[in-house]
Amino acid sequence: MAHTFGVLFTSALMLGGVLAGFPTATASAAPATTVQWSACPEDATVECGSLRLPVDYGNPAEGTFDLAVARRKATDPVKRIGVLLINPGGPGGSGVDYALRTNLFSPDIYARFDVVGWDPRGVSRSRPVMCSTELLDHPASIFPVNQAEFDALGAYNRTLLDDCRRRTGPLAEHVDTASTAQDMDRIRRALGEQQINYFAASYGTLMGQQYAERYGDRIRTMVLDSNMDHSLGIWDYAGTESAAVEATFTEWVRWCGRTPSCALHGRDVIQLWHDVLAKADRGEVTDPDHPGVRLRAQDMINTVSYSLYRPVEYASLATYVRRLEEQPKSDSLRPGTSAGPEENSVYQAAVCSDWNFPIRTFAEYQALEARERALAPLMRGGTVGHTDITACVGVHDPVNNPQHPLKIRKAPQILMLDALYDPSTPYAWTVNAHQQSKDTTTLLTYDGWGHSSYDRSGSPCVRAAVDNYLTTGKAPAPDSHCAAVDPPGAAAVQPKRGAAPLHAR
């Protein structure tokens, strides 16, 4: 991976000025109540604009910022139902980029809804949180082995957070999801809509959950795919994450065993994986696509974990692991290099505003890591939950939006869905979120694999259920299931090695 703290969806940035056609707000500007639309630079069939909003809803004196919004208008105005707000997750995913996609939904959804995406506060075109690339590319170890390394991790986290705040300004302290939920309602008002429809995956589900808690009567339909569970404390968060990635990795091994075209078919894949990790521990593994660049065991675990998000990558993942095994030993290895002075990275500021993850001592850290490794020995505990938690080690600021049980009132039936084997947002999270809100939510289970079932599972059943719910408002029967669709045997997509850090959902 390029570095520990990065962002999943990256847009071209122009620092200190105009961002892809969106003006940068001044601190003294008044909030705006409407969006002035114009053609998006990337696609003239989509409208782009911005909405000027308060940095801090509780303290207007903090100033304003411009929230970037994009709208793909309904292709059949006669059949138009309303607006469909969308968010891809993250923290750090660009909703504008999401709206620019043409293949996320079926043609019928595009015909009936104005699909509206926005870059959440601190992301991409919406006053991005800017941080030193030098810091981002040279992090402290998130797997400290002694007190000195644990102290170095805390010092690094504080330095990074301070650097991001200095470069960004007050908005860096107000990128929590509770503030984003209020931004969402400002978008609704600016569009002149009484109610919204909403579709989100991964971290975007937390935005939807908190919008439903606060503005439940302003929802027509809401689809939350691969849910966060904001009620979890540190131990349950870490444990469920580790168990989920281990189970999904094991499912990939089983898939390879039953799929003759898998590059590792007929091999003892688990033993092979142990051997490759051991080679990496000895410093003997290089990146297959960048000879001479050393890969650590954790780098390989990151790549494998991210590839497990998409079942379409299972075959190419097997080829990647085989290439790691077949490499000759190299005596001249080098690390990667830094790319520039600043980078957009809202991740740490957002996570540490939304979650209270107290690890105060090295002994507490050791106990947590031991639990993760016990639950996920093949994946050495996993990295997604571990990265979230260790991002906040040493950060002692009050948490703006701490965990609490989900309480939704005055909302229509909300559709929650997830795959049984989701390596990023565990199925247990969606089940638990549903149990906390079972009077206002319906659970749809995809009996397969991957992260973001609507977009990545390849299941016609899932897509039909979601599309029918969005268009009719009728949720599936309680506790409905969609059968698993086996991943393809051919290598359809190459693993995104180094393209996305694991924390980004």
Side-chain angles (χ1 to χ4, degrees), residues 255 258 311-312 314 446-450 456-462 482-488:
W255 170 85
R258 68 176 182 268
V312 72
Y314 276 18
Y446 170 58
D447 295 332
W449 313 268
R456 294 172 174 167
S457 69
S459 167
C461 172
V462 169
C482 284
V485 176
D486 214 36

Side-chain angles (χ1 to χ4, degrees), residues 88-163:
S94 166
V96 170
D97 290 349
Y98 213 36
L100 289 167
R101 283 184 55 177
T102 58
N103 61 349
L104 176 59
F105 299 107
S106 68
D108 191 48
I109 297 300
Y110 284 117
R112 293 170 175 264
F113 293 94
D114 294 346
V115 176
V116 177
W118 80 101
D119 286 355
R121 49 177 56 221
V123 173
S124 193
R125 307 163 182 86
S126 295
R127 184 75 69 80
V129 172
M130 303 304 298
C131 309
S132 162
T133 300
E134 179 70 19
L135 281 172
L136 292 171
D137 282 354
H138 297 89
S141 172
I142 63 171
F143 295 94
V145 297
N146 53 43
Q147 184 68 51
E149 290 192 2
F150 179 78
D151 293 342
L153 175 60
Y156 170 81
N157 285 339
R158 290 190 296 274
T159 299
L160 178 63
L161 194 60
D162 289 345
D163 175 84

Side-chain angles (χ1 to χ4, degrees), residues 1 3-11 88-94 97-98 123 201-203 306 309-310 343-347 424 451 456 496 498-505:
M1 293 304 159
H3 49 69
T4 302
F5 302 107
V7 65
L8 177 56
F9 298 88
T10 306
S11 299
S94 166
D97 290 349
Y98 213 36
V123 173
S202 199
Y203 212 84
Y306 183 59
Y309 284 27
R310 305 180 69 197
E343 184 169 334
N344 176 201
S345 183
V346 73
Y347 166 69
S424 178
H451 179 54
R456 294 172 174 167
K496 293 179 173 62
L502 260 294
H503 66 258
R505 290 182 165 84

